[in-house]
Amino acid sequence: MKTDKLYLRIHVTQIQKILPLMVAAVLALAGCASMAPPYAAPALPVAAHYPNELNQDGAAAAAMGWRDYFTDVRLQDLIAQALENNRDLRMAVLRVEEARAAYGIQRAEQFPTIAAQAGSERAHVPADLSLTGKPALSSQYQVSLGLASWEIDFWGRVRSLRDAALENYLASDEARRAVTISLVAQVANSYLALCELDERIALARLTIASREESLRIFTRRVEVGSTSRLNLTQVQTLLNQAQALGAQLEQARAVQANALTLLAGVTLQLPATSGRLDERQMLLPLQPGLPSDLLIRRPDIVAAERQLKAANAQIGAARAAFFPRIALTGSFGTASAELDGLFAAGSRAWTFAPSITLPLFDAGRRSNNLSLAEARRDLAVANYEKTIQAAFRDVADALAARQWLAQQLLIAQAALTTQTERARLSQLRYDNGAAAYLDVLDAQRDLLVAEQQLVQIRRALLSSQVSLYAALGGGALDVAATDATGAASTRHIPSADKHLTP
């Protein structure tokens, strides 16, 4: 008996020495192979230069934060509130946390799950079932550490799934940055629209006041018989048109204020702005650079490429499924029939149960799973190329709008000057009896339209600058993360090859 105990003790001691080396070797071998195809970025599916690109003046959009680009203090406050309280952005942040947790779960699959176990068992065997013919009472106590079915990743299946989860996580963070840039642009455009409506309302109110005074004068003239009632009705028509326009603009401003409040996520006090929209006071000049720059500037393009890499890694996992799956199950601890002998000499117990599984027939499940992964990779390639093309179009449209709206603004300014002079001359001719009041009516109506159009074009030109800033990925490099409570977060999102990979 002593010899057996000594032999068992020596054997366990040897196992204790060898076991760490075996585990280290298995860990070194696990994940050393990957069956994912080599990743190669698709060729740029757009032209090398943007159309309608006249100059390269200004700063790069991606290197300019939104506080540097939008110089209006009130607009900066609105953007800051939206970044803190907007619910769409908050949902994007939560989706990042969701993807991060999913990656953590998949990453944990690379490592063994070790659990402590403790149990006791007492059994009573009746006399007619006992080998001795007498009732028997037995006890068993056990304490151990167990390794539950840990897959040794010889073919890189688990590693490929981990890489796919990592790329999806990083893609979700890029999507969060894209939502942030889009939100900044939406707030800026909404604010510019509000400023446009305030300026148009101010012009409409001046026109209404002027025409009310004209109505008072013509009413007095009709009373004294110095003019016809027809002229009075024409003046009344001008006033009614201006009043209708004012009411429409007030309604549009209320709707725009509600839209801006929704973007900001909090109740806003939005008093009317004063002064004219002036590009030099609100925005800085930009230079578009080259289309290839969008590959690193635009978060939506980076997210699409991350998704492509994730689909590529899924192919590796699908290929590895054709090879045997090796798993280890084991435990090491102590067991005894008596509780006080649980940790006595010779009570050690262990199990070691490796297994190899290779499906022989699955009705084409693995083959179809590989075909599915390859099809999804091809879809990801098409989506990546489409995202690049859409980004190229966004920049091209913004450049075209900037170029042609600038010309339209010059034309509108000249038209307003002409209409102002026409209205003055028409009124002068009417006062001298050389023309009917109908000429004055047409000139005043066209003058109001020209004033309103000039403000609209000026705002559209500013909006084209905002669209260009967003299309070029403006502020993408310094957009701060936002946590679920809306507070700013500076947590760094590691890259795919640092910190996150084991």
Side-chain angles (χ1 to χ4, degrees):
M1 182 62 69
K2 292 183 178 180
T3 304
D4 293 341
K5 288 184 177 180
L6 180 60
Y7 175 78
L8 180 60
R9 190 173 303 172
I10 295 174
H11 189 60
V12 171
T13 303
Q14 292 175 344
I15 291 176
Q16 289 176 327
K17 293 181 179 179
I18 296 174
L19 187 59
L21 297 177
M22 294 176 59
V23 172
V26 171
L27 285 172
L29 289 173
C32 63
S34 176
M35 308 200 72
Y39 173 75
L44 196 66
V46 293
H49 297 277
Y50 298 112
N52 304 307
E53 185 179 343
L54 300 180
N55 58 67
Q56 291 284 334
D57 295 335
M64 187 185 303
W66 59 266
R67 288 188 180 275
D68 298 323
Y69 183 64
F70 300 107
T71 58
D72 186 276
V73 177
R74 190 179 181 190
L75 175 56
Q76 289 180 351
D77 292 340
L78 289 173
I79 293 175
Q81 291 186 69
L83 292 178
E84 183 177 355
N85 300 290
N86 183 267
R87 299 314 189 268
D88 288 335
L89 180 57
R90 187 171 300 180
M91 291 170 61
V93 173
L94 292 173
R95 280 192 287 268
V96 174
E97 296 301 320
E98 178 185 27
R100 182 171 181 265
Y103 164 69
I105 293 173
Q106 189 59 56
R107 181 173 180 266
E109 293 293 327
Q110 291 183 287
F111 304 97
T113 300
I114 300 176
Q117 300 174 344
S120 65
E121 179 182 347
R122 288 179 62 84
H124 178 269
V125 181
D128 58 346
L129 295 179
S130 176
L131 296 178
T132 62
K134 296 180 180 181
L137 184 64
S138 63
S139 301
Q140 181 178 348
Y141 301 92
Q142 177 180 315
V143 176
S144 65
L145 291 177
L147 177 67
S149 190
W150 173 47
E151 179 179 350
I152 304 177
D153 196 23
F154 280 114
W155 321 114
R157 189 187 73 87
V158 178
R159 180 184 178 184
S160 295
L161 292 175
R162 181 213 63 187
D163 292 343
L166 174 61
E167 295 297 341
N168 285 327
Y169 163 42
L170 297 176
S172 68
D173 186 65
E174 294 296 338
R176 189 266 311 165
R177 293 205 303 156
V179 171
T180 303
I181 293 173
S182 176
L183 177 61
V184 170
Q186 289 179 38
V187 173
N189 279 322
S190 184
Y191 175 74
L192 290 175
L194 194 70
C195 292
E196 173 203 331
L197 290 169
D198 286 338
E199 186 174 346
R200 293 177 63 190
I201 288 172
L203 291 173
R205 287 174 178 173
L206 290 175
T207 302
I208 291 172
S210 174
R211 292 179 182 180
E212 285 177 343
E213 179 63 17
S214 297
L215 180 63
R216 187 190 66 79
I217 294 173
F218 272 77
T219 300
R220 183 60 181 163
R221 287 181 179 179
V222 170
E223 290 175 353
V224 300
S226 62
T227 190
S228 66
R229 184 167 294 276
L230 176 61
N231 290 338
L232 178 63
T233 58
Q234 291 172 337
V235 172
Q236 181 68 51
T237 299
L238 280 177
L239 175 60
N240 292 339
Q241 290 174 346
Q243 289 173 333
L245 176 61
Q248 293 172 2
L249 293 176
E250 292 286 359
Q251 177 190 0
R253 189 193 188 281
V255 173
Q256 191 62 48
N258 294 335
L260 189 54
T261 299
L262 178 62
L263 289 173
V266 293
T267 303
L268 298 174
Q269 298 296 329
L270 297 171
T273 56
S274 60
R276 289 177 26 175
L277 288 169
D278 192 337
E279 180 181 0
R280 291 170 297 177
Q281 296 178 0
M282 299 185 68
L283 305 177
L284 297 177
L286 295 173
Q287 62 100 355
L290 298 175
S292 57
D293 297 335
L294 292 179
L295 299 183
I296 57 175
R297 287 180 178 179
R298 289 265 301 218
D300 55 341
I301 295 179
V302 179
E305 186 175 16
R306 293 288 186 189
Q307 292 168 348
L308 173 56
K309 291 180 179 179
N312 201 63
Q314 289 285 358
I315 294 178
R319 287 177 176 177
F322 286 87
F323 293 84
R325 185 175 300 181
I326 303 173
L328 298 181
T329 301
S331 64
F332 180 82
T334 179
S336 175
E338 300 294 336
L339 183 59
D340 56 358
L342 191 59
F343 296 100
S347 62
R348 291 177 182 152
W350 58 271
T351 61
F352 180 68
S355 65
I356 300 178
T357 304
L358 177 62
L360 299 178
F361 176 75
D362 59 4
R365 181 179 291 107
R366 288 173 297 166
S367 298
N368 287 314
N369 187 51
L370 177 58
S371 298
L372 176 63
E374 292 173 343
R376 287 176 174 172
R377 189 269 314 274
D378 294 340
L379 284 171
V381 171
N383 179 66
Y384 176 64
E385 294 175 339
K386 179 182 177 182
T387 304
I388 295 176
Q389 291 174 341
F392 182 89
R393 180 190 172 181
D394 291 342
V395 177
D397 287 348
L399 289 172
R402 185 178 68 172
Q403 175 185 351
W404 296 109
L405 284 171
Q407 294 193 22
Q408 291 179 47
L409 182 61
L410 295 176
I411 296 172
Q413 290 171 339
L416 178 60
T417 301
T418 302
Q419 290 297 337
T420 302
E421 181 65 11
R422 176 192 171 196
R424 187 187 69 82
L425 294 175
S426 297
Q427 185 67 47
L428 184 62
R429 284 170 56 83
Y430 171 76
D431 292 340
N432 290 283
Y437 194 74
L438 183 61
D439 293 342
V440 179
L441 178 70
D442 290 339
Q444 291 289 339
R445 184 186 299 113
D446 293 342
L447 176 60
L448 179 59
V449 172
E451 290 174 339
Q452 297 287 322
Q453 285 182 345
L454 179 61
V455 178
Q456 290 176 298
I457 294 174
R458 192 183 296 122
R459 196 275 307 164
L461 180 58
L462 288 171
S463 292
S464 71
Q465 287 288 87
V466 174
S467 299
L468 180 61
Y469 178 73
L472 292 172
L477 298 181
D478 64 346
V479 170
T482 305
D483 61 21
T485 62
S489 171
T490 57
R491 179 178 62 82
H492 176 62
I493 304 297
S495 63
D497 56 352
K498 294 182 180 179
H499 306 298
L500 284 181
T501 53

